[in-house]
Amino acid sequence: MATLTNLHDALLDEVQDLYHAEKQLVKALPTMAKAASSDELRDAIQRHLGETRHQVTRLDQVFDLLGETPRAKHCAGMAGILQEGTEVLENGVNDALLDACIIAAAQRAEHYEIAAYGTAAAWARQLGLDEVAQLLKDTLDEEAAADATLTSIAQAGVNEAAEVASEQRA
Amino acid sequence: MATLTNLHDALLDEVQDLYHAEKQLVKALPTMAKAASSDELRDAIQRHLGETRHQVTRLDQVFDLLGETPRAKHCAGMAGILQEGTEVLENGVNDALLDACIIAAAQRAEHYEIAAYGTAAAWARQLGLDEVAQLLKDTLDEEAAADATLTSIAQAGVNEAAEVASEQRA
């Protein structure tokens, strides 16, 4: 990475990191949705894929407000998280257990974004870039809601189904 | 990774992932603390280093309760997050801005753990492993508190100092 000399550069660096994080998710979420056997989980992932695509366009607006051309910087954090997630998908886990593992992977991705958007929004506010801060906050709220939805789906039956399927195979 | 056949195996896999995540943090936090210029931030990171070491021993207890030998599995998520964090440390960023960047990196690490401990605790509860679930929940609560402390420190002056230092250098 280039040496950061001021908070504006650091904010731009965060936004470039998030741009790559979101683009990786746009590629990964359809695979997760396809692998899900719970209708509720599949629907939730597909809805969040739509949100994620919109979050990319929101970042395009942020780049524009910062007077910069949209550019992604390799996001090693999201790359590592998705590498862990795809390992599970490739290992032929039974359907009910796979749903629980998909939720585990997706919640790691959501939490990466909650941390990163939280930082970026705080820095934008500090810099008096209110419109940028609001765009980042809008996405932050969506990520937190997506995380809460995944927790609800896990608690409403997916974890129990994963346990029952495990017992039947024991 | 080995194919997971039941929720107990999936829980063990999560705990092995977290074991490696915590061990990576035990190595990374002293570097972050040393690089911090805010006394409050340095103290918070050093306190959390003590907590992190205790969290490793808590995972040892979890392995014991699961009847397994403690073993780490490569945690690509935390590895990616810490790779991003160390890039900033190695790039000679000015002190006040560096503090803001250290908080950004540390909060990504905390959020990875919040997601992973949240999953592991929920699966342990589902399996009726109440003692394991409580140990994981104790650490989850500490990670959430550490994240909140970092937000407070950022808001109480670090972000403002990063902006002021940026203006002075502009």
Side-chain angles (χ1 to χ4, degrees), chain A residues 1-8 10 13-14 17-18 73-81 83-84 87-88 91-94 97 100-101 103-104 107-109 111-112 114-116 118-119 122-123 125-128 147 154-155 159-163 165-167 169-170, chain B residues 1-8 10 13-14 17-18 73-81 83-84 87-88 91-94 97 100-101 103-105 107-109 111-112 114-116 119 122-123 125-128 147 154-155 159-163 165-167 169-170:
Chain A
M1 67 185 286
T3 300
L4 305 175
T5 55
N6 58 51
L7 192 60
H8 190 280
D13 191 74
E14 282 282 319
D17 178 273
L18 278 165
K73 173 200 156 192
H74 180 66
C75 174
M78 184 61 82
I81 287 166
Q83 182 189 321
E84 289 182 34
E87 276 176 13
V88 174
N91 271 279
V93 173
N94 74 69
L97 183 57
C101 293
I103 291 175
Q107 289 196 295
R108 281 166 159 81
H111 271 279
Y112 180 90
I114 289 168
T119 293
W123 289 354
R125 268 197 309 277
Q126 183 63 46
L127 290 163
D147 179 60
Q155 288 174 343
N159 286 352
E160 192 181 346
E163 190 201 357
S166 301
E167 284 171 355
R169 295 165 70 94
Chain B
M1 68 185 288
T3 300
L4 305 174
T5 54
N6 58 51
L7 191 60
H8 190 281
D13 191 73
E14 282 282 320
D17 179 273
L18 278 165
K73 172 200 157 191
H74 179 67
C75 174
M78 184 62 82
I81 286 166
Q83 181 189 322
E84 289 183 33
E87 275 176 14
V88 174
N91 271 281
V93 172
N94 74 68
L97 183 57
C101 293
I103 291 175
Q107 288 196 297
R108 282 165 157 82
H111 271 278
Y112 181 90
I114 289 167
T119 294
W123 289 355
R125 268 196 309 276
Q126 184 62 47
L127 290 162
D147 180 60
Q155 288 174 344
N159 286 352
E160 192 180 345
E163 190 200 358
S166 302
E167 284 171 353
R169 294 165 70 95

Side-chain angles (χ1 to χ4, degrees), chain B residues 35-55:
Chain B
S37 60
S38 146
D39 291 342
E40 202 183 352
L41 176 57
R42 191 169 47 250
D43 290 351
I45 295 172
Q46 279 169 339
R47 265 199 315 278
H48 192 56
L49 174 60
E51 282 181 338
T52 303
R53 289 193 176 116
H54 183 57
Q55 289 163 359

Side-chain angles (χ1 to χ4, degrees), chain A residues 2-117:
Chain A
T3 300
L4 305 175
T5 55
N6 58 51
L7 192 60
H8 190 280
D9 285 356
L11 171 61
L12 178 61
D13 191 74
E14 282 282 319
V15 172
Q16 289 172 339
D17 178 273
L18 278 165
Y19 203 57
H20 189 229
E22 296 289 14
K23 284 180 173 265
Q24 289 182 74
L25 269 179
V26 166
K27 286 188 189 166
L29 288 173
T31 311
M32 287 190 192
K34 200 176 162 191
S37 60
S38 146
D39 291 341
E40 202 182 352
L41 176 57
R42 192 169 46 251
D43 291 350
I45 296 172
Q46 279 168 341
R47 266 198 314 279
H48 192 56
L49 173 61
E51 282 182 336
T52 303
R53 289 193 177 117
H54 184 58
Q55 289 164 359
V56 172
T57 67
R58 239 184 236 137
L59 289 175
D60 284 329
Q61 290 176 262
V62 167
F63 279 114
D64 192 46
L65 289 164
L66 295 174
E68 300 282 343
T69 306
R71 194 171 76 80
K73 173 200 156 192
H74 180 66
C75 174
M78 184 61 82
I81 287 166
L82 292 177
Q83 182 189 321
E84 289 182 34
T86 50
E87 276 176 13
V88 174
L89 296 181
E90 288 164 359
N91 271 279
V93 173
N94 74 69
D95 289 351
L97 183 57
L98 186 54
D99 281 353
C101 293
I102 289 170
I103 291 175
Q107 289 196 295
R108 281 166 159 81
E110 291 314 311
H111 271 279
Y112 180 90
E113 297 191 304
I114 289 168
Y117 276 106

Side-chain angles (χ1 to χ4, degrees), chain B residues 25 29 38 44 46-47 57 64 79 81 91 100 121 124 129 132 139 144 154:
Chain B
L25 269 180
L29 289 174
S38 146
Q46 279 169 339
R47 265 199 315 278
T57 67
D64 192 46
I81 286 166
N91 271 281
L129 302 168
V132 170
T139 296

